[in-house]
Amino acid sequence: MNASKYLSAMLLALSLAACTTAGTTPTGVSSSSEVRSGYGTVESVQRVDRDNVGLLGTIGGAVVGGLLGNQIGSGRGQTAATIAGAAGGAYAGREIERRTRSASDVFKIYVRMDDGSYQAIAQETHPALRAGDRVRVENGVVTPI
């Protein structure tokens, strides 16, 4: 019976974690970890919100909250406290992780390379680039030419 409560808390935590949105990269675009050097044209520059946090804080908070909630009450009250603790812990863990990350946004620069491929390069400072600008990409750095 006790194992089913932990399983319920974990399922709730994973369900809540699945509700968070993940960053997406358009189809056919290389991420900044796969950036190749070359020349190209800026397709777009987009601001990416850093509030899009990972799942570690959410899952960790849910587990801790579920364990703490399980210590309260007995019977159905204990089950309700476990679920409420997991939900509250997931929210608290997500907020803690979000606040510990840098508050600034990231800018993604989408570049159509001269060879026809596309690349997405992330940088933390606002780029002085617009769609249509010719650029050089080298070591993950976009430089206007």
Side-chain angles (χ1 to χ4, degrees), residues 43-126:
E43 287 288 309
S44 68
V45 178
Q46 298 177 358
R47 178 178 291 178
V48 179
D49 187 9
R50 279 221 180 153
D51 285 345
N52 185 7
V53 296
L55 299 176
L56 185 61
T58 304
I59 293 172
V63 169
V64 171
L67 290 173
L68 291 175
N70 191 41
Q71 303 302 314
I72 298 172
S74 62
R76 289 185 181 214
Q78 186 178 30
T79 303
T82 301
I83 292 170
Y91 178 77
R94 181 180 182 278
E95 287 299 307
I96 290 169
E97 183 176 5
R98 184 181 66 83
R99 291 180 184 174
T100 57
R101 290 184 180 226
S102 175
S104 66
D105 291 332
V106 173
F107 297 90
K108 276 231 173 165
I109 306 163
Y110 294 96
V111 179
R112 185 182 68 238
M113 302 303 289
D114 288 345
D115 66 2
S117 65
Y118 287 86
Q119 294 192 46
I121 299 97
Q123 70 180 49
E124 297 195 10
T125 58
H126 190 284

Side-chain angles (χ1 to χ4, degrees), residues 30-45:
S30 299
S31 68
S32 58
S33 63
E34 304 167 0
V35 171
R36 296 181 314 272
S37 296
Y39 293 89
T41 304
V42 175
E43 287 288 309
S44 68
V45 178

